[in-house]
Amino acid sequence: MPASPPSEGEAPEALRSVRHAQEIFQEHSVEDRPEYIAYLDHAELSSTLGEVLLFLSRTSGQPQHATSALDLLSTAAAERDSARARSSAFDAIAAARALLVVDDLEAACATGLRAIRIGSHVDSARVRRRFLDLAREAHPHESEPAVRELRERLLAAVRT
């Protein structure tokens, strides 16, 4: 049975967990980190926590968490190894989704197009599913020509 989204009462606990993960990562050297985070570099930690905050913003109805997610996703994009194209595509897709939540349609479209440029070169069913998620979430804003174009390009990228 899938886990249910966090309720408003669980949001503070989720935020504490995010802060705790950041503290553990900053306080311990690579050799001393607990096994469950030993494989993470700073870009991957930032990306993972950004996705958590994006999820929290959508399930709690509190868009300020999307703003925090954007900060983390920007860090992930800046620090990500360029050879990790699939992860870079995920970062860009999540950032575009967060920008939709905070209603910055222009930046969401620019970031979504960047995600297509990166993700179109990756053979990944998960990237294609995330393209579809972004297209679905952009649909309410389709009256904007840039958003309509983004959706068309996302759907075309999924088909090819």
Side-chain angles (χ1 to χ4, degrees):
M1 176 192 302
S4 61
S7 67
E8 284 187 38
E10 294 170 323
E13 183 61 32
L15 293 172
R16 273 191 294 280
S17 295
V18 166
R19 283 191 298 277
H20 183 65
Q22 290 171 315
E23 289 168 4
I24 290 172
F25 196 84
Q26 290 173 353
E27 292 172 0
H28 296 275
S29 67
V30 174
E31 299 81 28
D32 296 335
R33 288 187 186 136
E35 280 186 40
Y36 59 90
I37 64 165
Y39 70 95
L40 293 173
D41 61 11
H42 193 245
E44 194 63 32
L45 176 72
S46 297
S47 179
T48 300
L49 296 178
E51 290 271 3
V52 167
L53 290 173
L54 175 58
F55 180 79
L56 185 60
S57 74
R58 297 177 56 71
T59 58
S60 70
Q62 297 178 357
Q64 72 270 19
H65 299 310
T67 301
S68 298
L70 283 167
D71 291 340
L72 288 163
L73 293 164
S74 293
T75 297
E79 296 182 10
R80 179 80 64 199
D81 181 344
S82 62
R84 307 258 332 263
R86 181 173 165 231
S87 295
S88 295
F90 288 145
D91 295 340
I93 294 165
R97 293 172 74 193
L99 287 160
L100 286 173
V101 171
V102 299
D103 209 30
D104 187 344
L105 301 182
E106 184 178 331
C109 290
T111 305
L113 293 173
R114 188 175 89 239
I116 293 169
R117 281 193 302 278
I118 297 166
S120 293
H121 302 290
V122 178
D123 183 21
S124 169
R126 284 185 60 212
V127 168
R128 289 188 298 277
R129 278 194 307 275
R130 299 250 180 112
F131 280 168
L132 290 173
D133 291 341
L134 177 55
R136 184 183 79 266
E137 292 168 19
H139 181 72
H141 308 282
E142 196 172 37
S143 63
E144 294 290 326
V147 175
R148 188 169 41 259
E149 179 187 346
L150 173 63
R151 289 191 76 243
E152 290 168 2
R153 292 187 63 184
L154 286 163
L155 296 173
V158 169
R159 288 190 294 269
T160 58

